[in-house]
Amino acid sequence: MSRLDLFIARMVSQRACLNHAAQLTASIAGPVFELGLGNGRTYHHMCSILPPRDIHVFERAVASHPDSTPPEDRVLLGDVFDTLPQALAQFGATARLIHADLGGHNAQKNDVFARKVSPLIAPLLAPDGLMVSSDRMYFEDLEELPLPADAVPGRCFIYRR
Ligand code: SAM
C-alpha cells in the first residue's frame, strides 16, 4: 500500500468505525471521549453523529480548524498520562464511547505508546461501552469486535467492555 492508500484507509475506517460504534452504544447515556484532537476532523464527525455536549476532548495543545474546536469546558488540556487518571476520578467508569487517534508517523513508537496508555483507558468505559482506535490496543479485560464492512482491517480497531 502507498502512503496515500494507507491514509485513505485510515480515514475511511475511522468514519466507518465511529458510525458503527455510535449506533451500537445508542442506549448508553455516558460521556464520549475524543483522545487526540489534531485538526479536529474526527471530532467534527463525532459532533455530527453524537450529542456534541457529551464529547470531551483530550489534547495537549489545541490547534484545530476553527470549525472543529471544542468549547473550553469540554477540553481536558494536557498529556493524556495526566488527564486520563483525572478523568477517571471525575467520571468513573461511565464512558459510552472512547475514540483514540493519538499516534504519529512512526508505527513502532505508536505501538509502544498504545501499550502504555491502554491501562489508563480501559477503566473509563461503561459496561458495554466501546473503544475505537487507529492503533491496536493492549487490553486485558476488553473484547475485540469485528469491524463494519466498510472499514479496512488493521487500520482501525473496536473493543468492548
Ligand atoms: N483525529 C484527529 C483528526 O481527525 O484531526 C487527528 C489526531 S492527531 C493524529 C494526534 C493528536 O494527538 C495530536 O494533536 C497530538 O497533539 C495529540 N497527542 C498525541 N500524544 C498526546 C498525549 N500524550 N497527550 C495529549 N495529546 C496527545
Side-chain angles (χ1 to χ4, degrees):
M1 266 196 176
S2 69
R3 284 186 54 222
L4 181 62
D5 290 332
L6 287 171
F7 179 77
I8 291 168
R10 184 169 133 244
M11 299 296 108
V12 167
S13 302
Q14 282 179 337
R15 182 181 57 190
C17 291
L18 285 170
N19 289 347
H20 187 55
Q23 280 180 7
L24 289 179
T25 59
S27 64
I28 304 175
V32 174
F33 296 148
E34 165 76 324
L35 311 185
L37 176 65
N39 182 281
R41 289 190 193 94
T42 48
Y43 170 72
H44 193 264
H45 186 70
M46 289 162 75
C47 287
S48 74
I49 58 171
L50 294 157
R53 293 287 301 167
D54 287 357
I55 305 173
H56 300 259
V57 176
F58 295 65
E59 173 58 59
R60 60 182 163 208
V62 173
S64 48
H65 186 282
D67 287 349
S68 312
T69 299
E72 265 181 43
D73 67 353
R74 289 296 183 268
V75 178
L76 287 95
L77 193 63
D79 193 291
V80 290
F81 288 98
D82 298 321
T83 54
L84 286 169
Q86 288 165 13
L88 184 59
Q90 183 180 347
F91 296 99
T94 61
R96 162 185 175 179
L97 169 61
I98 302 175
H99 173 240
D101 183 19
L102 290 159
H105 296 299
N106 184 321
Q108 208 178 344
K109 279 189 185 168
N110 292 346
D111 190 58
V112 171
F113 185 89
R115 286 176 192 271
K116 279 172 63 182
V117 80
S118 291
L120 300 182
I121 293 174
L124 286 159
L125 278 176
D128 291 326
L130 295 184
M131 200 258 157
V132 171
S133 176
S134 297
D135 293 302
R136 177 176 296 287
M137 303 301 283
Y138 295 89
F139 297 122
E140 288 181 358
D141 51 353
L142 303 189
E143 171 197 8
E144 186 171 346
L145 296 188
L147 298 178
D150 39 354
V152 180
R155 302 269 63 85
C156 213
F157 301 85
I158 306 179
Y159 302 92
R160 178 169 61 197
R161 169 166 295 286

